Amino acid sequence: MLLEMKKVIKNFGGVMAVNQVDLTLNEGEILGLIGPNGAGKTTLFNLVSGLLPLTSGEILLNNTSLSNMKPYQITELGLARTFQNIRLFGHLSTKQNIMVAQFCRTKASVWGAFFRNKNYKEEEKKISERADQLLQLMELEKYSDSKAGSLPYGYQRRLEIARALATQPRLLLLDEPAAGMNDVETESLLKLIRRIRDDGVSIFLIEHDMNLVMNLCNRVTVLNFGQKIADGTSQEVQNNPKVTEAYLGKEEDDIA
Amino acid sequence: MFWQQVINGLTAGTTYALVALGYTLVFGVLEIINLAHAEIFMIGAFIGLVLVTETGAPLWLALIGAMIGTGLVGWMLERLALRPLRKNNVSHLAPLISTIGVSIFLTNVVLKIFGPQSNRFPSNIDPRIFDLGVIKVSLLQIVILATSFALMFLMKFMLAKTRIGKELRAVAENPEAAGLMGVNVTFIMVLTVAIASALGGAAGVLVGLQFSAISPTMGVAYGLKGLAIIIVGGMGNVTGAMAGGLLLGAAEVLSIAYIGSSYRDAIAFIMLIAVLLIKPSGIFGELESRKG
Amino acid sequence: MGEILNPYYLQIVSFLAINAILALSFYLPFSAGQLSLGNAGFMSIGAYTAGILSLKLGAPIFISIVSGSVMAALVGILLGFPVLRLKGVYLAIATLGFGEVVRVLFLNLEITNGALGLPGIPNLNNYFRGVYSSFGVKEGLAGLDMGQVAALSTVALSFLVLGFCIMFVLRQEKSPVGRAMAAIKADEVATEVMGINTTYVKMLAFVQGAFLAGLGGALSAHMTNFISPGEFGYHHAIDILLFVVLGGSEVVWGGVLGASIITIMPEALRFVDDFRWIIFGALLVTMMVFRPQGLIDEHVLSWRPFKKKSTLESDAVNEVLHREVGN
């Protein structure tokens, strides 16, 4: 088990955003997280990545408890994430965005920068080369020196992912990576995510695009009103009446 | 002795409160710290001085005149130094710098006209003192306290009960939504700066009365303390500004009485740092980021 | 030639260098997203520490200067812990408040001599005279008298120090630490999620800024021979802010240019004496309306000075925000 969530609760002054959620993610898996708007999916991501403190429960990454850890420490442990509403470093270049994210995997030294000694130059070279690799992987090379904020939408989403990958994670949290994409772009994304998984990164995915979820994910967990209502393979979840109900509401209520 | 100090402190505190109120109103509605507010306060004092000495106007008229004058200065500030920046979607730093520019401009205009020295502010208030046993209050103190509290009460009333006040609060919370609901956001913003400036101008006259002297640089100390107060009270919080001002007045006077006068000017910032360490949102504030 | 190179003008040139160092002391934390207005306070600490060491303990000038800078940095660390949790305007006001506390404190301490200030701090010019003297040069050099030679040496020293500081900041900007700072400025939360200990990096920027301000203070104390608490107040903090904002807040050279302009301006504009500050105030407002990034930005540095400031970023982000699907 790479990621384990035990009875996780997040209470916002009376509003139960996440209510007793148990969840596991195994190494090499692509786990989908779905549910209607407001179900608590992004809140869950925020809890896992350390942006929000748990009200109670436990989250373990590779058997290490993440409670009391700051976000950067969790990232150092091997967890990376993208943001639903894209939080790129707008006026840094595409390549710089990726380079920044390598900070925790390199030896950064203040005096090294001043004296430009051999170690420093070698580190910088490694950082630059690794960034180039990621640029290639995500087909962003032509935007390498453009300001991240000026990229077309689809490429910004890719950069979000590239940047997260630069932290060399074992587990990648993707928050609605296909939002706003057309079919062609989504197909591209699907291939990309598979490739990332094949390269050894497990994936935890929030998505609304059901096609993508069903095609991509080994297993799917469904949330509604902060609670887990279903869990299983994409097939199982698709056929689960509770899931349909959650999305569509009970049949009787549809009578106008 | 203690209560005497408290009265003295409140007198000073009410003027602090008026200044702080000006900062907090502008911050609440426009999300900007108007660093020219201290100079507007100073200009109020000078307008008051001119009205009293040149036209022989009675004090109450000079006060109103100063408030109208500074209200106009505030209107011009918004129109010329703040509104053009809103159109350009700039960072928060640009409006701040713009108000610094206005503050430099205003200070030096007054310096040019009146010179750097202290000017006597004449007071034709009867120097009567009322002996109430435990405390002695002078007529001057009563005038200052009464005027300040009246202005503060008017503000609270306006904000709570009038339509303009409601619109102001709506813009403070969410300008976009307020605009969609029919509020003339631009007008409200101009009005806010004008009102805030008028309050500052009133404070200027009252301070001039209090110390019988004014100078072109009198705004600096009040300005800095005003900034400290709005953080202590809670940024954008009207009650906080008023309470904070009174609190500071009392704290300063008590510190002079019991510690010694030389550290008086640091009290505001010690309170500031204490609040920032304990409850950064301020005594009355909530840490809420603005929507929209 | 000899008339221009008189000690008075040369001292102004030295101050230009000092002001440029102070501009850097504001620029550094700013490039990591922190609006720190405490540099006047740190400058004061640097000046007084160095001044007291030189004057009352007879320490060698350079030891005093270094100690002053280090002292400012140490106070920066202490202040940083509580204050760096604050954002935006809160941080600005808190650091401004810090400056005031330092001013009032120094007005009341015995060791700083209170409002009377510290006169008679050993002067760098005299120091250089002494150095030259020990090499047998007492009457002048290359057609200049000793006064001019000494003053020129001080100028050279200040620019040497400035040069190192600029080089340090430039090199740091291109390094991982510099990139981390820029990322924090852009989006602190996202930076933390990318695995960067933002508290540490912010502290680094803040303390470096404090050190530079202390350095500026310590150096200038040994040029003016006299310091008093009032010199390092609110006005000075605002001046330093203006160096950077006027010259260009997005690039290192901006502060240097701004410092140069504002240092020279009072001298150059003596003919409009009374009106120069009035004009300056109006100019500042105009700048913010038409060119908020200051005189120099990256386009100027790459020879395209009038390229319109890109609104592409805000457009792109706005577009994304409108696609946001609620959760």
Side-chain angles (χ1 to χ4, degrees):
Chain A
M1 261 187 301
L2 185 54
L3 180 72
E4 202 182 341
M5 297 178 74
K6 296 191 199 166
K7 294 210 178 339
V8 169
I9 297 182
K10 180 61 187 172
N11 196 334
F12 285 114
V15 176
M16 282 285 219
V18 174
N19 197 348
Q20 299 251 16
V21 170
D22 293 307
L23 190 148
T24 58
L25 185 150
N26 300 312
E27 191 129 18
E29 240 185 349
I30 299 181
L31 177 67
L33 183 63
I34 65 175
N37 280 340
K41 309 189 291 294
T42 298
T43 308
L44 205 72
F45 266 24
N46 286 339
L47 290 169
V48 175
S49 56
L51 288 176
L52 284 176
L54 290 171
T55 304
S56 75
E58 249 203 305
I59 302 183
L60 300 152
L61 182 67
N62 224 7
N63 283 319
T64 311
S65 170
L66 298 183
S67 44
N68 296 328
M69 276 204 183
K70 296 189 140 195
Y72 79 91
Q73 292 169 318
I74 297 178
T75 306
E76 282 176 349
L77 269 186
L79 186 147
R81 73 167 290 178
T82 63
F83 289 95
Q84 182 185 5
N85 52 346
I86 296 191
R87 296 175 79 155
L88 293 173
F89 306 126
H91 48 266
L92 292 182
S93 75
T94 302
K95 185 165 176 178
Q96 281 171 333
N97 267 265
I98 299 178
M99 286 168 81
V100 169
Q102 296 183 52
F103 192 84
C104 61
R105 303 295 174 208
T106 57
K107 299 170 280 240
S109 136
V110 171
W111 290 109
F114 182 67
F115 291 113
R116 299 224 163 134
N117 50 36
K118 202 167 95 170
N119 281 340
Y120 172 80
K121 289 197 187 158
E122 274 170 13
E123 281 294 304
E124 278 295 282
K125 190 148 167 273
K126 269 202 310 195
I127 293 174
S128 181
E129 281 168 0
R130 170 118 183 96
D132 286 332
Q133 279 170 2
L134 279 167
L135 285 170
Q136 263 184 354
L137 175 69
M138 308 298 276
E139 292 171 22
L140 286 165
E141 299 117 307
K142 68 175 177 201
Y143 292 109
S144 173
D145 293 325
S146 313
K147 292 222 183 302
S150 68
L151 264 51
Y153 179 75
Y155 286 95
Q156 284 192 9
R157 286 234 90 107
R158 290 191 199 204
L159 179 54
E160 270 274 304
I161 300 177
R163 192 178 59 164
L165 286 176
T167 64
Q168 293 173 21
R170 295 185 56 183
L171 173 61
L172 177 61
L173 269 51
L174 294 173
D175 198 342
E176 296 196 35
M181 284 189 178
N182 60 35
D183 289 338
V184 173
E185 291 170 322
T186 308
E187 188 60 32
S188 238
L189 181 68
L190 189 138
K191 293 206 183 87
L192 185 65
I193 296 179
R194 282 215 181 104
R195 169 121 185 241
I196 295 174
R197 191 268 316 265
D198 294 339
D199 280 342
V201 181
S202 312
I203 309 233
F204 195 179
L205 172 73
I206 294 179
E207 244 315 314
H208 277 293
D209 183 335
M210 285 308 146
N211 258 328
L212 186 67
V213 172
M214 298 308 164
N215 276 322
L216 198 55
C217 301
N218 304 108
R219 284 191 306 123
V220 176
T221 299
V222 190
L223 284 187
N224 194 14
F225 294 121
Q227 286 180 297
K228 186 169 86 171
I229 60 171
D231 190 340
T233 66
S234 359
Q235 275 300 92
E236 291 166 359
V237 163
Q238 249 178 332
N239 298 328
N240 188 326
K242 278 202 262 179
V243 176
T244 335
E245 187 189 308
Y247 272 100
L248 302 174
K250 289 206 170 81
E251 288 294 316
E252 300 92 274
D253 291 342
D254 284 330
I255 298 173
Chain B
M1 175 62 170
F2 175 76
W3 289 109
Q4 182 65 57
Q5 298 296 11
V6 169
I7 290 289
N8 294 344
L10 282 182
T11 314
T14 52
T15 51
Y16 285 148
L18 286 174
V19 172
L21 206 49
Y23 279 120
T24 225
L25 278 171
V26 172
F27 181 77
V29 174
L30 285 87
E31 284 211 314
I32 292 173
I33 300 275
N34 175 13
L35 284 178
H37 186 58
E39 274 59 49
I40 292 179
F41 155 86
M42 177 267 292
I43 284 190
F46 274 90
I47 295 179
L49 176 72
V50 167
L51 286 175
V52 167
T53 54
E54 302 293 317
T55 69
L59 204 53
W60 60 270
L61 197 58
L63 183 74
I64 294 184
M67 286 178 72
I68 294 177
T70 47
L72 279 170
V73 174
W75 175 77
M76 282 197 286
L77 185 147
E78 199 281 333
R79 198 69 196 70
L80 297 173
L82 293 179
R83 196 183 304 183
L85 269 61
R86 275 208 298 280
K87 299 198 171 98
N88 292 343
N89 190 31
V90 291
S91 72
H92 288 301
L93 190 60
L96 195 79
I97 304 295
S98 187
T99 59
I100 293 180
V102 173
S103 115
I104 294 177
F105 180 84
L106 290 174
T107 311
N108 285 282
V109 165
V110 174
L111 269 171
K112 184 98 185 81
I113 302 178
F114 290 91
Q117 72 283 357
S118 210
N119 295 54
R120 213 189 124 256
F121 196 98
S123 147
N124 33 28
I125 294 186
D126 201 333
R128 232 186 315 170
I129 300 196
F130 297 93
D131 191 329
L132 302 175
V134 181
I135 53 176
K136 293 190 179 61
V137 192
S138 70
L139 187 57
L140 177 63
Q141 281 178 313
I142 293 182
V143 166
I144 294 177
L145 282 167
T147 314
S148 306
F149 277 115
L151 285 170
M152 289 197 269
F153 176 76
L154 273 169
M155 273 308 302
K156 279 292 246 184
F157 181 81
M158 183 205 79
L159 283 173
K161 304 282 184 206
T162 67
R163 204 192 92 197
I164 291 276
K166 291 201 175 79
E167 293 190 350
L168 207 148
R169 283 183 289 137
V171 175
E173 185 159 330
N174 190 333
E176 240 179 53
L180 289 172
M181 296 210 268
V183 172
N184 184 342
V185 176
T186 310
F187 171 69
I188 292 288
M189 286 188 172
V190 165
L191 189 67
T192 305
V193 180
I195 293 178
S197 304
L199 288 173
V205 171
L206 291 175
V207 167
L209 266 180
Q210 196 177 356
F211 296 108
S212 309
I214 62 175
S215 77
T217 52
M218 67 191 271
V220 179
Y222 272 81
L224 283 173
K225 290 178 188 177
L227 290 176
I229 292 170
I230 60 174
I231 292 198
V232 168
M235 303 263 272
N237 187 303
V238 168
T239 316
M242 295 186 196
L246 294 173
L247 187 64
L248 179 63
E252 279 191 350
V253 169
L254 288 172
S255 81
I256 295 179
Y258 295 110
I259 303 179
S261 64
S262 46
Y263 284 95
R264 185 196 64 170
D265 286 342
I267 295 290
F269 304 103
I270 295 175
M271 277 171 68
L272 168 68
I273 294 182
V275 163
L276 287 173
L277 290 176
I278 303 172
K279 184 173 190 262
S281 52
I283 299 180
F284 292 89
E286 307 120 17
L287 266 175
E288 206 192 272
S289 55
R290 179 139 89 166
K291 314 154 195 86
Chain C
M1 186 59 159
E3 302 85 55
I4 305 179
L5 286 184
N6 69 63
Y8 176 70
Y9 286 139
L10 287 174
Q11 194 179 49
I12 294 181
V13 176
S14 294
F15 281 140
L16 195 159
I18 301 286
N19 283 337
I21 295 177
L22 289 170
L24 285 178
S25 82
F26 173 79
Y27 173 79
L28 240 176
F30 185 66
S31 69
Q34 298 160 50
L35 198 58
S36 165
L37 293 177
N39 5 43
F42 290 123
M43 188 182 176
S44 188
I45 292 176
Y48 269 97
T49 307
I52 291 172
L53 282 175
S54 292
L55 186 62
K56 303 206 176 170
L57 297 176
I61 290 194
F62 293 109
I63 304 273
S64 306
I65 293 179
V66 171
S67 308
S69 319
V70 170
M71 186 57 139
L74 288 174
V75 176
I77 296 178
L78 280 177
L79 185 67
F81 279 119
V83 148
L84 288 178
R85 300 189 236 154
L86 307 170
K87 305 269 162 27
V89 197
Y90 291 85
L91 178 63
I93 297 181
T95 46
L96 208 54
F98 159 75
E100 278 297 290
V101 171
V102 170
R103 185 182 66 83
V104 174
L105 191 69
F106 284 1
L107 266 175
N108 288 289
L109 289 178
E110 258 188 54
I111 194 172
T112 56
N113 218 14
L116 296 172
L118 280 182
I121 298 177
N123 188 309
L124 275 169
N125 284 5
N126 293 337
Y127 168 81
F128 280 116
R129 263 196 216 244
V131 169
Y132 288 121
S133 191
S134 65
F135 282 106
V137 179
K138 291 186 203 191
E139 296 303 317
L141 199 61
L144 306 166
D145 69 50
M146 280 317 291
Q148 292 172 310
V149 173
L152 264 175
S153 311
T154 306
V155 168
L157 175 71
S158 349
F159 275 88
L160 194 66
V161 173
L162 174 65
F164 267 115
C165 295
I166 294 180
M167 189 165 85
F168 178 84
V169 179
L170 279 174
R171 288 194 163 181
Q172 184 170 262
E173 278 204 329
K174 293 194 167 66
S175 78
V177 169
R179 289 191 291 266
M181 290 182 182
I184 291 176
K185 184 178 185 180
D187 188 333
E188 191 174 332
V189 171
T191 308
E192 172 120 20
V193 172
M194 291 305 128
I196 295 174
N197 184 347
T198 52
T199 309
Y200 171 75
V201 176
K202 286 197 298 182
M203 181 66 95
L204 197 60
F206 190 73
V207 172
Q208 285 176 352
F211 180 88
L212 285 173
L215 178 62
L219 273 172
S220 85
H222 294 278
M223 289 180 197
T224 58
N225 317 331
F226 170 76
I227 54 177
S228 69
E231 283 169 43
F232 306 111
Y234 169 77
H235 282 299
H236 213 90
I238 296 294
D239 280 348
I240 298 175
L241 169 67
L242 291 180
F243 296 157
V244 174
V245 161
L246 178 72
S249 52
E250 295 174 357
V251 292
V252 176
W253 296 105
V256 177
L257 177 68
S260 311
I261 295 178
I262 296 183
T263 311
I264 304 284
M265 187 192 77
E267 304 301 319
L269 292 182
R270 274 210 187 279
F271 64 95
V272 278
D273 200 38
D274 293 337
F275 293 95
R276 58 193 172 182
W277 288 111
I278 298 180
I279 296 175
F280 182 68
L283 200 71
L284 210 50
V285 176
T286 319
M287 271 280 283
M288 287 303 112
V289 175
F290 295 109
R291 203 179 162 84
Q293 72 270 31
L295 288 170
I296 308 184
D297 62 8
E298 53 179 1
H299 297 126
V300 170
L301 289 177
S302 50
W303 293 110
R304 287 173 292 160
F306 295 112
K307 183 166 165 147
K308 203 171 141 208
K309 182 154 168 72
S310 172
T311 53
L312 285 175
E313 306 154 27
S314 29
D315 286 347
V317 174
N318 284 334
E319 191 206 48
V320 171
L321 283 177
H322 293 141
R323 288 188 202 234
E324 179 179 347
V325 181
N327 233 357

